[in-house]
Amino acid sequence: MMARRWFSRKYYNSPMPHSIFFYHGFAIHGTTELSRLGGPASHGCVRLHPQHAAALFALVSRDGPRYTRIVIN
């Protein structure tokens, strides 16, 4: 699932802009907590700078999530 605007129902209604859900409730999404990027702050999601999340969202929207493969190592 993809959502341009999403708020976490599980974690205090936290904003998750440009969400691309890839496994159950886990997503790649933007964050407003820029100072916490690169450190532990998430519960399994992959957090990106909002501009990077928007760019990725646009690419996946253009090509379709069906043709997008997400690999987490």
Side-chain angles (χ1 to χ4, degrees):
M1 182 182 94
M2 294 177 61
R4 197 172 302 278
R5 292 180 44 172
W6 191 262
F7 295 87
S8 172
R9 294 180 185 133
K10 192 172 183 179
Y11 297 106
Y12 319 109
N13 212 30
S14 299
M16 299 169 58
H18 296 100
S19 292
I20 303 169
F21 289 87
F22 60 88
Y23 181 76
H24 298 280
F26 299 111
I28 298 172
H29 62 82
T31 182
T32 56
E33 301 278 337
L34 299 181
S35 65
R36 300 190 76 182
L37 283 174
S42 181
H43 296 84
C45 288
V46 178
R47 298 168 301 117
L48 301 174
H49 187 284
Q51 291 175 338
H52 298 162
L56 178 62
F57 191 90
L59 287 170
V60 174
S61 295
R62 183 191 70 199
D63 295 337
R66 180 178 175 180
Y67 297 105
T68 302
R69 187 171 143 197
I70 297 171
V71 178
I72 307 293
N73 289 328

